Amino acid sequence: MTAATDMPTEIPKSTSEMPAIVATNLQKKFGELSVLKGIDCQIPRGEVVAIIGSSGCGKSTLLRCFNRLETISGGQLIVDGIDLSKADLSRRRLLELRAHVGMVFQQFNLFPHLSVLQNLCLAPKKVLGASHQESEKTAKFYLNKVGLSEKINSFPDQLSGGQKQRVAIARALCMKPEILLFDEPTSALDPELVGEVLQVMQQLAQEGMTMVVVTHEMQFAREVASRVMFLNKGQVEESGNPREILSNPQSERLQSFLSRINMVLPT
């Protein structure tokens, strides 16, 4: 995957020394149901955090809180310097957040009636106010980065699942985000297509992109992530070095989770 010569070849990096994400006693309720029960975490810039845990433990809800797709019910959450604890967050600040924090969904969420190029250009034009020429130049650069330059005029129904997800990653990168969030990006893919998506994510990690990844891909978490967070019943039960946590889990619940998916990994 080669880069165009007239575009930057590195992921844009913030000069801020503040952590990318700071959560303090973060809580989220849906009616009477308490889903997140006091999450405390700091994610420094450039770190890749893999969030793992059983279905229903709050992984995706936590991720959605990080870009204000869900509003928190209590505690404090600061993402890229923006305090998301404020109920009256202005539209301007919300748009600023969405410009700085990209999201890649499980089901791709590409617009089926738009070509790949049109899918990639839409948000930079609407949100960033980019010109047609600038947005197309950026789209071609990032499409090349994920190895899909030849699909620029294709429509989503002409792509494989792995290609759709790589286009979705390129679309997120076109906003030149500080942080990328991934919600189980490979779970909807056939096994033989998983590798091509993980390869792109690994490249982004090597380039210093701050990434938070909800995943069941334990090998990816072990080899690429700088930290693993294990959620259980809405709380962080274990957090730390991926090789240590996945090879020698301390909590009984994490031991059970890993044994069920046959993924207690050797050191």
Side-chain angles (χ1 to χ4, degrees):
M1 289 181 261
T2 59
T5 57
D6 55 352
M7 288 290 289
T9 57
E10 294 184 355
I11 296 299
K13 297 179 179 64
S14 171
T15 56
S16 173
E17 295 182 359
M18 291 180 59
I21 299 173
V22 180
T24 306
N25 193 30
L26 188 155
Q27 301 162 47
K28 175 62 183 177
K29 293 183 178 180
F30 295 98
E32 296 299 313
L33 177 63
S34 182
V35 177
L36 301 177
K37 305 172 183 177
I39 301 288
D40 293 304
C41 70
Q42 285 197 15
I43 299 176
R45 296 182 186 277
E47 187 166 81
V48 179
V49 175
I51 303 178
I52 65 173
S54 301
S55 297
C57 71
K59 305 185 301 294
S60 292
T61 298
L62 178 60
L63 202 70
R64 290 169 67 85
C65 287
F66 287 164
N67 72 343
R68 193 63 182 256
L69 288 177
E70 299 288 354
T71 56
I72 68 174
S73 305
Q76 186 176 48
L77 176 61
I78 299 175
V79 178
D80 203 40
I82 300 174
D83 189 349
L84 302 189
S85 317
K86 297 179 178 179
D88 59 345
L89 190 69
S90 69
R91 175 175 171 77
R92 181 182 66 82
R93 291 294 270 171
L94 184 58
L95 288 175
E96 184 181 343
L97 174 77
R98 297 281 163 76
H100 292 180
V101 182
M103 183 91 170
V104 178
F105 297 91
Q106 179 179 341
Q107 296 293 343
F108 325 129
N109 288 6
L110 300 175
F111 292 106
H113 64 292
L114 299 181
S115 69
V116 166
L117 178 62
Q118 291 169 328
N119 266 283
L120 267 59
C121 290
L122 185 61
K125 288 180 180 179
K126 296 287 188 182
V127 179
L128 302 181
S131 68
H132 178 76
Q133 182 179 13
E134 181 185 1
S135 62
E136 282 204 356
K137 184 178 179 181
T138 302
K140 289 174 182 177
F141 172 75
Y142 285 114
L143 198 59
N144 182 62
K145 192 176 189 67
V146 301
L148 289 174
S149 293
E150 75 282 2
K151 300 295 184 181
I152 191 167
N153 294 315
S154 299
F155 285 81
D157 65 0
Q158 298 172 315
L159 305 177
S160 69
Q163 289 171 338
K164 289 177 185 177
Q165 194 60 291
R166 283 190 281 158
V167 169
I169 293 172
R171 178 181 59 182
L173 289 171
C174 282
M175 295 294 287
K176 301 178 182 177
E178 299 282 351
I179 304 164
L180 265 184
L181 309 176
F182 294 83
D183 191 5
E184 300 193 30
T186 60
S187 63
L189 302 179
D190 293 332
E192 65 269 22
L193 301 177
V194 169
E196 63 189 55
V197 174
L198 295 182
Q199 182 181 10
V200 172
M201 294 172 66
Q202 185 168 12
Q203 180 184 352
L204 294 175
Q206 291 170 348
E207 293 173 359
M209 173 63 76
T210 305
M211 298 162 60
V212 185
V213 186
V214 170
T215 184
H216 287 104
E217 295 290 338
M218 296 300 116
Q219 193 68 33
F220 172 82
R222 182 178 189 262
E223 299 299 332
V224 179
S226 44
R227 178 154 46 111
V228 165
M229 286 172 49
F230 172 62
L231 262 60
N232 182 35
K233 297 181 179 178
Q235 296 179 309
V236 179
E237 189 152 316
E238 285 197 49
S239 177
N241 180 279
R243 290 175 180 265
E244 293 176 3
I245 283 186
L246 297 177
S247 300
N248 188 28
Q250 299 301 300
S251 75
E252 196 172 301
R253 185 67 192 87
L254 180 52
Q255 291 172 14
S256 173
F257 170 76
L258 291 173
S259 69
R260 268 205 330 275
I261 58 175
N262 195 28
M263 281 301 296
V264 177
L265 299 172
T267 56

